[in-house]
Amino acid sequence: GAVVSQHPSWVICKSGTSVKIECRSLDFQATTMFWYRQFPKQSLMLMATSNEGSKATYEQGVEKDKFLINHASLTLSTLTVTSAHPEDSSFYICSATSKGYTGELFFGEGSRLTVL
Amino acid sequence: SQQGEEDPQALSIQEGENATMNCSYKTSINNLQWYRQNSGRGLVHLILIRSNEREKHSGRLRVTLDTSKKSSSLLITASRAADTASYFCATDGTGNTGKLIFGQGTTLQVKP
């Protein structure tokens, strides 16, 4: 089946630094990718929708300057957490759909960010 | 924003028993999906049920959908210790974009 890969799977960084998380579709062209964040013992909250070649659409309450999303190719979307703070520590998960989406979504394994 | 609620929030049963989880949502949908998540891991897709379907089976899983009540249920029969995980329902709106809105989740513990 189709595979979505996230990298890194976990990252620890110092407060104030920026961290980039990659989401790659390995064997299909991902026309749309979605980014979610999940706090411990909570559900997934949609952060933004990213379409290849266009600006991401952010959900209400998500700071676009804080969470930079780039979807430069049909196989790669990146989420950059800028000037990270401890409250940004979370589990970030991406999902991807291909053209002609009929309900089949593919999720990455997630990236755990810890900001010290 | 969260689409809806799941209940129970936590469920603890013995191996071999059945587990039922319920999900309610607020807006019209194209489909509803159930996912499993083991602690600290990614999501595993379990089953998708479309808005024009009322029931679907996959192995030990049975999903029902009642669009008039905006609710769905997931039944796991003959549970196993390996079924211990969090279970989430997620709805895809009428735009059918893949933009899923997740429920709060049910944490299931199956005791051996």
Side-chain angles (χ1 to χ4, degrees):
Chain A
V3 176
V4 173
S5 172
Q6 272 186 249
H7 178 82
S9 54
W10 57 270
V11 56
I12 301 173
C13 70
K14 292 183 179 179
S15 191
T17 60
S18 294
V19 174
K20 181 184 286 187
I21 299 169
E22 294 184 348
C23 178
R24 291 183 185 272
S25 58
L26 298 185
D27 53 359
F28 68 100
Q29 293 186 330
T31 50
T32 304
M33 287 184 171
F34 302 91
W35 287 95
Y36 295 83
R37 69 186 298 183
Q38 183 181 31
F39 291 111
K41 300 190 186 304
Q42 294 190 24
S43 187
L44 283 77
M45 296 288 291
L46 179 66
M47 299 175 68
T49 302
S50 134
N51 292 299
E52 185 266 336
S54 62
K55 288 184 179 180
T57 303
Y58 291 81
E59 295 298 304
Q60 191 173 7
V62 178
E63 300 174 60
K64 62 180 181 181
D65 295 329
K66 173 76 172 175
F67 300 100
L68 300 178
I69 292 172
N70 184 286
H71 192 160
S73 77
L74 282 171
T75 59
L76 174 65
S77 176
T78 60
L79 167 67
T80 301
V81 183
T82 62
S83 187
H85 290 282
E87 56 265 32
D88 299 323
S89 298
S90 188
F91 194 54
Y92 293 89
I93 306 177
C94 69
S95 68
T97 64
S98 58
K99 191 176 180 180
Y101 164 74
T102 57
E104 192 169 26
L105 270 169
F106 308 101
F107 278 85
E109 275 291 310
S111 300
R112 183 164 302 285
L113 169 64
T114 301
V115 184
L116 302 177
Chain B
S1 61
Q2 293 300 315
Q3 170 68 295
E5 303 296 323
E6 285 185 60
D7 79 272
Q9 288 190 349
L11 181 60
S12 181
I13 59 175
Q14 293 295 134
E15 211 167 22
E17 295 181 340
N18 296 342
T20 299
M21 291 159 257
N22 302 295
C23 164
S24 63
Y25 57 92
K26 297 175 182 174
T27 61
S28 297
I29 62 171
N30 180 277
N31 65 68
L32 185 145
Q33 308 182 28
W34 284 90
Y35 289 85
R36 186 184 79 204
Q37 185 181 38
N38 288 79
S39 182
R41 303 295 301 275
L43 298 177
V44 175
H45 180 261
L46 295 177
I47 200 163
L48 179 152
I49 186 165
R50 300 193 186 278
S51 59
N52 61 352
E53 298 175 309
R54 292 296 166 259
E55 188 171 311
K56 209 162 182 181
H57 297 254
S58 177
R60 294 185 295 113
L61 305 180
R62 173 178 168 254
V63 167
T64 62
L65 178 65
D66 186 334
T67 52
S68 66
K69 295 181 180 178
K70 290 187 168 58
S71 67
S72 174
S73 67
L74 170 67
L75 168 67
I76 303 174
T77 59
S79 63
R80 306 166 181 168
D83 295 328
T84 295
S86 292
Y87 292 81
F88 296 94
C89 68
T91 53
D92 194 357
T94 51
N96 195 30
T97 61
K99 177 179 168 179
L100 297 185
I101 305 299
F102 284 81
Q104 302 288 351
T106 295
T107 300
L108 172 66
Q109 182 186 29
V110 181
K111 299 175 184 175

